[in-house]
């Protein structure tokens, strides 16, 4: 079991994905897409289109968690 702690701010997103995405697109490409597009729907659309062009035959699971509000301290 792995335990990871992250601190995210309101408006930030976290990408969780299977190897269907991480094996098909390098970390550098995923980061570039993440920085280039400003919304999660665009991120997913570009990921899918790039993978379709590569003709990768693996399933892909993707979850994007967006922080809407952080608890006040």
């Amino acid at each position: 079991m792995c335990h990871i702690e992250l601190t995210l701010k309101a408006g930030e997103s976290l990408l969780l994905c299977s190897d269907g995405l991480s094996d098909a697109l390098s970390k550098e490409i995923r980061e570039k897409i993440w920085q280039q597009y400003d919304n999660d729907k665009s991120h997913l659309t570009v990921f899918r289109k790039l993978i379709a062009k590569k003709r990768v035959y693996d399933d892909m699971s993707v979850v994007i968690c967006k922080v809407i509000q952080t608890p006040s301290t």
Side-chain angles (χ1 to χ4, degrees):
M1 188 161 122
C2 180
H3 177 84
I4 298 173
E5 259 186 63
L6 299 170
T7 301
L8 299 173
K9 298 174 187 166
E12 292 182 325
S13 297
L14 175 68
L15 171 69
L16 304 171
C17 64
S18 67
D19 64 348
L21 177 65
S22 61
D23 286 352
L25 300 176
S26 70
K27 179 181 175 183
E28 291 78 18
I29 291 174
R30 292 190 314 268
E31 287 177 351
K32 185 175 181 179
I33 292 167
W34 204 260
Q35 293 168 359
Q36 188 173 355
Y37 297 91
D38 64 351
N39 66 70
D40 296 332
K41 185 175 181 179
S42 294
H43 297 142
L44 292 175
T45 300
V46 174
F47 288 152
R48 282 188 298 121
K49 287 182 178 182
L50 287 176
I51 290 173
K53 284 183 182 180
K54 290 183 166 219
R55 297 182 181 193
V56 174
Y57 300 103
D58 191 2
D59 60 337
M60 175 178 67
S61 299
V62 178
V63 175
I64 296 178
C65 304
K66 185 167 192 99
V67 178
I68 297 173
Q69 181 178 353
T70 56
S72 56
T73 53

